[in-house]
Amino acid sequence: MYLDPRSKLPSMTIGNRRVGYLEKPLIVTEIGINHFGSFQKAMRLVDLAAESGAEIIKVQLHNASAEMSEHAKSVKPGNANVSIYEVINENSLDFVQEEKLRNYIFDHGLLYAATPFSREAVDFLKDQDADAIKIGSGEADHQPLIDLVCQLEKPIIMSTGMQSINSIAPSVDLIRTHKLPFALLHCTNLYPMPPKLARLAGIRELMK
């Protein structure tokens, strides 16, 4: 990360793409568990993202047994009639499929980013040549995981929706200790989000 001499604000590079205040917006498409565990659907989502003009695809790397406790098997989200453990377990790709999906993304000439939710997912990423690593807001204060991610020596994008300035500060310090380029995302946990709750002034706080 360096200060852009034009804007005097931090700038970073993801793959071959400069990201900064004066650069054009970077269009990122997320493939979470919306493929419902189907590799064919995941590839179709890559096709659609490429057709839509996305530059980078971000995947979620889930392994239910590695990232969840036994208690999760009895916790049901409000929008499902099965446990959150079952939701993740039934709608995730395995790491063999994830590697094939990464290759498919590269074949489209797109950049590849991934969100790991466990040590096992970080270990998987060691050999995947990701262009960036995303930290979800639920893990933004999970410093042991973030320390492992930093060891991949990749640009980091960190969401802040479930955090406060105080709770993310130690994680930001940790990333800075590793001397890695990073970006903080202003986000909420409401989908869709009512415009009146956007709190866009929060972006200035994150910039500070």
Side-chain angles (χ1 to χ4, degrees), residues 89-140:
N89 193 51
E90 294 175 4
N91 293 285
S92 300
L93 302 178
D94 61 38
F95 287 154
V96 173
Q97 293 172 315
E98 288 288 359
E99 183 165 11
K100 291 180 179 177
L101 186 63
R102 179 215 63 169
N103 292 337
Y104 195 66
I105 291 169
F106 283 161
D107 288 344
H108 280 69
L110 301 175
L111 300 174
Y112 168 80
T115 301
F117 293 90
S118 63
R119 176 185 293 271
E120 286 78 358
V122 176
D123 287 342
F124 166 76
L125 283 170
K126 289 179 180 178
D127 300 318
Q128 299 308 305
D129 195 27
D131 295 292
I133 307 297
K134 167 83 185 311
I135 303 294
S137 64
E139 287 68 48

Side-chain angles (χ1 to χ4, degrees), residues 27-47:
I27 305 299
V28 181
T29 297
E30 172 160 28
I31 298 178
I33 57 172
N34 46 329
H35 47 61
F36 305 110
S38 166
F39 182 66
Q40 295 300 319
K41 288 182 179 179
M43 289 195 297
R44 179 58 180 152
L45 289 171
V46 173
D47 294 338

